Protein backbone atom coordinates (compact mmCIF):
# COMPACT_ATOMS: atom_id res chain seq x y z
CA UNK A 1 0.00 0.00 0.00
CA UNK A 2 1.37 3.44 -0.93
CA UNK A 3 2.26 5.76 1.91
CA UNK A 4 -0.15 8.57 2.70
CA UNK A 5 1.06 12.03 1.73
CA UNK A 6 1.27 15.16 3.86
CA UNK A 7 2.13 18.57 2.48
CA UNK A 8 2.93 21.43 4.81
CA UNK A 9 3.07 25.05 3.73
CA UNK A 10 5.28 26.35 6.50
CA UNK A 11 5.03 30.13 6.65
CA UNK A 12 5.81 30.85 10.29
CA UNK A 13 9.33 31.35 11.55
CA UNK A 14 8.39 31.52 15.22
CA UNK A 15 9.63 28.87 17.59
CA UNK A 16 6.17 28.07 18.95
CA UNK A 17 4.70 27.28 15.53
CA UNK A 18 7.86 25.50 14.36
CA UNK A 19 7.64 23.36 17.50
CA UNK A 20 4.03 22.52 16.70
CA UNK A 21 5.07 21.65 13.15
CA UNK A 22 7.72 19.35 14.63
CA UNK A 23 5.09 17.56 16.71
CA UNK A 24 2.92 17.01 13.64
CA UNK A 25 5.93 15.76 11.71
CA UNK A 26 6.51 13.25 14.50
CA UNK A 27 3.00 11.94 14.01
CA UNK A 28 3.55 11.71 10.27
CA UNK A 29 6.83 9.88 10.82
CA UNK A 30 5.19 7.34 13.13
CA UNK A 31 2.75 6.55 10.35
CA UNK A 32 5.37 6.39 7.58
CA UNK A 33 3.79 9.24 5.67
CA UNK A 34 5.58 10.90 2.76
CA UNK A 35 6.00 14.54 3.68
CA UNK A 36 6.78 17.59 1.57
CA UNK A 37 7.43 20.82 3.45
CA UNK A 38 7.44 24.12 1.61
CA UNK A 39 9.34 26.73 3.56
CA UNK A 40 7.72 30.09 2.88
CA UNK A 41 8.51 33.62 3.96
CA UNK A 42 9.12 33.83 7.71
CA UNK A 43 9.99 30.16 7.90
CA UNK A 44 12.76 30.70 5.36
CA UNK A 45 14.23 33.24 7.79
CA UNK A 46 14.20 30.58 10.52
CA UNK A 47 15.87 28.08 8.18
CA UNK A 48 18.80 30.42 7.53
CA UNK A 49 21.93 29.00 9.16
CA UNK A 50 22.47 32.06 11.34
CA UNK A 51 18.86 32.09 12.62
CA UNK A 52 17.82 28.48 13.13
CA UNK A 53 19.06 28.02 16.68
CA UNK A 54 18.03 31.40 18.06
CA UNK A 55 14.92 31.49 20.24
CA UNK A 56 13.97 35.14 19.97
CA UNK A 57 10.98 34.54 17.72
CA UNK A 58 7.99 33.30 19.77
CA UNK A 59 5.18 35.06 18.00
CA UNK A 60 1.84 34.15 19.53
CA UNK A 61 2.77 34.34 23.18
CA UNK A 62 5.31 37.10 23.37
CA UNK A 63 4.46 37.87 27.00
CA UNK A 64 4.94 34.18 27.89
CA UNK A 65 8.10 33.63 25.92
CA UNK A 66 10.29 32.73 28.89
CA UNK A 67 7.63 30.39 30.34
CA UNK A 68 7.29 28.71 26.98
CA UNK A 69 11.00 28.17 26.47
CA UNK A 70 11.41 26.97 30.08
CA UNK A 71 8.57 24.49 29.59
CA UNK A 72 10.16 23.07 26.46
CA UNK A 73 13.26 22.41 28.54
CA UNK A 74 11.29 20.97 31.48
CA UNK A 75 9.39 18.63 29.17
CA UNK A 76 12.59 17.51 27.48
CA UNK A 77 11.06 18.60 24.17
CA UNK A 78 13.56 18.64 21.33
CA UNK A 79 14.41 21.90 19.57
CA UNK A 80 12.29 22.17 16.43
CA UNK A 81 15.33 21.50 14.23
CA UNK A 82 15.86 18.20 16.07
CA UNK A 83 12.19 17.25 15.74
CA UNK A 84 12.39 17.90 12.01
CA UNK A 85 15.64 15.92 11.79
CA UNK A 86 14.14 12.96 13.64
CA UNK A 87 11.18 12.93 11.27
CA UNK A 88 13.56 13.00 8.30
CA UNK A 89 15.41 10.00 9.71
CA UNK A 90 12.23 8.02 10.23
CA UNK A 91 10.21 8.69 7.12
CA UNK A 92 10.44 10.30 3.71
CA UNK A 93 10.50 14.04 4.45
CA UNK A 94 11.61 16.54 1.82
CA UNK A 95 12.11 20.15 2.78
CA UNK A 96 11.90 22.71 -0.01
CA UNK A 97 12.90 26.33 0.39
CA UNK A 98 10.70 28.75 -1.57
CA UNK A 99 13.05 30.56 -3.94
CA UNK A 100 11.32 33.90 -3.46
CA UNK A 101 11.37 33.57 0.33
CA UNK A 102 15.04 32.70 0.26
CA UNK A 103 15.84 35.83 -1.70
CA UNK A 104 13.80 37.98 0.71
CA UNK A 105 16.27 36.96 3.42
CA UNK A 106 19.33 37.09 1.15
CA UNK A 107 19.49 33.32 0.87
CA UNK A 108 20.29 32.58 -2.75
CA UNK A 109 21.93 29.17 -2.38
CA UNK A 110 20.96 25.95 -0.61
CA UNK A 111 24.14 26.33 1.43
CA UNK A 112 22.69 29.49 3.03
CA UNK A 113 20.17 27.28 4.88
CA UNK A 114 20.51 24.58 7.53
CA UNK A 115 21.24 21.11 6.22
CA UNK A 116 17.64 19.98 6.74
CA UNK A 117 16.73 21.79 3.52
CA UNK A 118 16.82 19.60 0.41
CA UNK A 119 16.40 22.11 -2.38
CA UNK A 120 15.16 25.52 -3.49
CA UNK A 121 11.98 25.40 -5.54
CA UNK A 122 9.25 27.46 -7.16
CA UNK A 123 5.59 27.47 -6.15
CA UNK A 124 4.67 24.99 -8.86
CA UNK A 125 6.32 22.25 -6.83
CA UNK A 126 4.00 23.02 -3.94
CA UNK A 127 0.87 23.14 -6.07
CA UNK A 128 1.66 19.77 -7.63
CA UNK A 129 2.43 18.11 -4.31
CA UNK A 130 -0.58 19.64 -2.55
CA UNK A 131 -2.92 18.39 -5.26
CA UNK A 132 -1.78 14.85 -4.55
CA UNK A 133 -1.71 15.10 -0.76
CA UNK A 134 -4.01 13.31 1.68
CA UNK A 135 -3.42 16.07 4.21
CA UNK A 136 -2.39 19.64 3.42
CA UNK A 137 -1.56 22.06 6.22
CA UNK A 138 -0.63 25.72 6.47
CA UNK A 139 1.28 26.78 9.56
CA UNK B 1 -7.05 -8.62 27.90
CA UNK B 2 -7.66 -7.99 31.58
CA UNK B 3 -5.31 -5.91 33.71
CA UNK B 4 -4.21 -9.08 35.52
CA UNK B 5 -3.46 -10.82 32.23
CA UNK B 6 -1.51 -7.81 30.98
CA UNK B 7 0.50 -7.58 34.18
CA UNK B 8 1.43 -11.25 33.88
CA UNK B 9 2.34 -11.09 30.23
CA UNK B 10 5.93 -11.77 29.14
CA UNK B 11 7.09 -8.95 26.92
CA UNK B 12 9.75 -9.37 24.25
CA UNK B 13 10.60 -5.68 24.22
CA UNK B 14 10.07 -2.89 26.72
CA UNK B 15 10.38 0.72 25.60
CA UNK B 16 10.78 3.30 28.35
CA UNK B 17 9.63 6.63 26.93
CA UNK B 18 8.72 8.22 30.26
CA UNK B 19 11.29 10.98 29.82
CA UNK B 20 9.66 12.30 26.67
CA UNK B 21 6.47 14.10 25.81
CA UNK B 22 4.30 13.79 22.72
CA UNK B 23 5.24 12.65 20.11
CA UNK B 24 8.29 11.09 21.84
CA UNK B 25 6.58 7.88 23.07
CA UNK B 26 5.01 7.24 19.68
CA UNK B 27 8.33 7.75 17.92
CA UNK B 28 10.06 5.50 20.46
CA UNK B 29 7.47 2.81 19.72
CA UNK B 30 8.00 3.27 15.99
CA UNK B 31 11.77 2.89 16.37
CA UNK B 32 11.48 -0.18 18.59
CA UNK B 33 8.88 -2.07 16.60
CA UNK B 34 11.51 -2.80 13.96
CA UNK B 35 13.53 -4.68 16.55
CA UNK B 36 10.94 -7.38 17.25
CA UNK B 37 9.48 -10.14 15.11
CA UNK B 38 5.90 -10.53 14.00
CA UNK B 39 3.90 -12.10 16.84
CA UNK B 40 6.18 -10.77 19.57
CA UNK B 41 4.90 -8.46 22.31
CA UNK B 42 6.13 -4.98 23.17
CA UNK B 43 5.23 -2.64 26.00
CA UNK B 44 5.62 1.12 25.88
CA UNK B 45 6.07 2.98 29.16
CA UNK B 46 4.80 6.54 28.93
CA UNK B 47 3.93 9.31 31.35
CA UNK B 48 2.19 11.20 28.57
CA UNK B 49 -1.62 11.04 28.77
CA UNK B 50 -2.02 11.27 24.99
CA UNK B 51 -0.01 8.11 24.38
CA UNK B 52 -2.87 6.01 25.78
CA UNK B 53 -4.92 6.94 22.75
CA UNK B 54 -2.12 7.37 20.22
CA UNK B 55 -0.74 3.84 20.46
CA UNK B 56 -4.08 2.04 19.85
CA UNK B 57 -4.75 4.25 16.82
CA UNK B 58 -1.23 3.71 15.53
CA UNK B 59 -1.59 -0.07 15.99
CA UNK B 60 -4.83 -0.04 14.04
CA UNK B 61 -3.25 1.85 11.14
CA UNK B 62 -0.08 -0.22 11.05
CA UNK B 63 -1.71 -3.62 11.48
CA UNK B 64 -0.44 -4.36 14.99
CA UNK B 65 -2.66 -5.74 17.75
CA UNK B 66 -3.27 -3.38 20.66
CA UNK B 67 -3.57 -5.53 23.78
CA UNK B 68 -4.40 -2.99 26.47
CA UNK B 69 -3.07 -0.45 28.93
CA UNK B 70 -2.16 -0.79 32.59
CA UNK B 71 -2.09 2.37 34.69
CA UNK B 72 0.78 2.49 37.15
CA UNK B 73 1.69 5.25 39.56
CA UNK B 74 2.46 8.22 37.33
CA UNK B 75 2.76 6.35 34.06
CA UNK B 76 1.11 3.88 31.71
CA UNK B 77 2.20 0.51 30.36
CA UNK B 78 0.77 0.06 26.89
CA UNK B 79 0.93 -3.42 25.36
CA UNK B 80 0.84 -4.48 21.73
CA UNK B 81 1.60 -7.49 19.58
CA UNK B 82 3.42 -6.99 16.29
Amino acid sequence: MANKKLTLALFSGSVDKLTAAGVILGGAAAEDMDVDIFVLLQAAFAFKKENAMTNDRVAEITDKKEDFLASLKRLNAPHWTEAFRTAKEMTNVRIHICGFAGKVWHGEKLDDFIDLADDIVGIGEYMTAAEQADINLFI
Amino acid sequence: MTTEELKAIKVDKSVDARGTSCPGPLLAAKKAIGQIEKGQIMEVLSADEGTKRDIPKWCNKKGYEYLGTVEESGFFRIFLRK
Side-chain angles (χ1 to χ4, degrees):
Chain A
M1 195 174 71
N3 293 346
K4 296 255 187 182
K5 295 182 189 301
L6 167 70
T7 51
L8 169 60
L10 185 60
F11 167 84
S12 177
S14 67
V15 175
D16 49 0
K17 290 196 176 86
L18 290 165
T19 300
V23 171
I24 292 171
L25 284 182
E31 299 192 9
D32 298 311
M33 295 185 81
D34 291 338
V35 182
D36 281 289
I37 301 172
F38 295 85
V39 178
L40 307 176
L41 285 162
Q42 312 297 357
F45 181 88
F47 269 77
K48 290 285 299 291
K49 277 180 177 170
E50 65 271 29
N51 302 328
M53 299 308 292
T54 60
N55 284 329
D56 52 350
R57 307 172 310 278
V58 184
E60 298 243 331
I61 49 167
T62 48
D63 60 329
K64 300 284 187 206
K65 176 184 162 188
E66 295 309 321
D67 286 353
F68 173 71
L69 295 174
S71 287
L72 291 186
K73 196 169 182 181
R74 173 173 54 81
L75 294 168
N76 198 25
H79 189 263
W80 67 268
T81 54
E82 279 313 301
F84 277 51
R85 192 175 304 282
T86 298
K88 282 196 84 158
E89 288 167 0
M90 295 180 72
T91 194
N92 184 21
V93 178
R94 292 171 300 270
I95 299 181
H96 314 285
I97 306 291
C98 163
F100 168 65
K103 286 179 183 171
V104 167
W105 306 114
H106 311 290
E108 307 274 341
K109 309 180 302 294
L110 189 58
D111 192 48
D112 292 326
F113 300 91
I114 53 176
D115 65 356
L116 290 169
D118 291 294
D119 50 17
I120 297 177
V121 302
I123 196 63
E125 295 277 343
Y126 169 67
M127 302 310 291
T128 304
E131 280 173 4
Q132 298 166 356
D134 298 284
I135 301 173
N136 179 37
L137 298 175
F138 180 93
I139 295 179
Chain B
M1 296 176 81
T2 66
T3 298
E4 285 68 31
E5 287 172 327
L6 288 171
K7 282 184 172 176
I9 209 166
K10 178 187 172 299
V11 300
D12 299 289
K13 179 89 183 167
S14 181
V15 182
D16 190 347
R18 285 176 288 182
T20 68
S21 46
C22 182
L26 191 57
L27 292 173
K30 165 84 188 309
K31 282 180 184 167
I33 198 80
Q35 298 163 16
I36 62 172
E37 302 295 326
K38 188 171 165 56
Q40 289 188 313
I41 291 173
M42 184 169 87
E43 69 170 349
V44 180
L45 311 184
S46 174
D48 188 277
E49 184 77 19
T51 314
K52 276 196 305 184
R53 291 163 68 149
D54 281 353
I55 295 283
K57 286 191 174 76
W58 177 68
C59 286
N60 189 41
K61 288 182 182 176
K62 304 304 293 180
Y64 311 133
E65 183 186 359
Y66 167 67
L67 300 175
T69 296
V70 173
E71 191 162 349
E72 302 282 0
S73 179
F75 69 97
F76 307 100
R77 297 172 66 194
I78 304 164
F79 296 85
L80 63 100
R81 180 184 285 117
K82 186 174 181 182

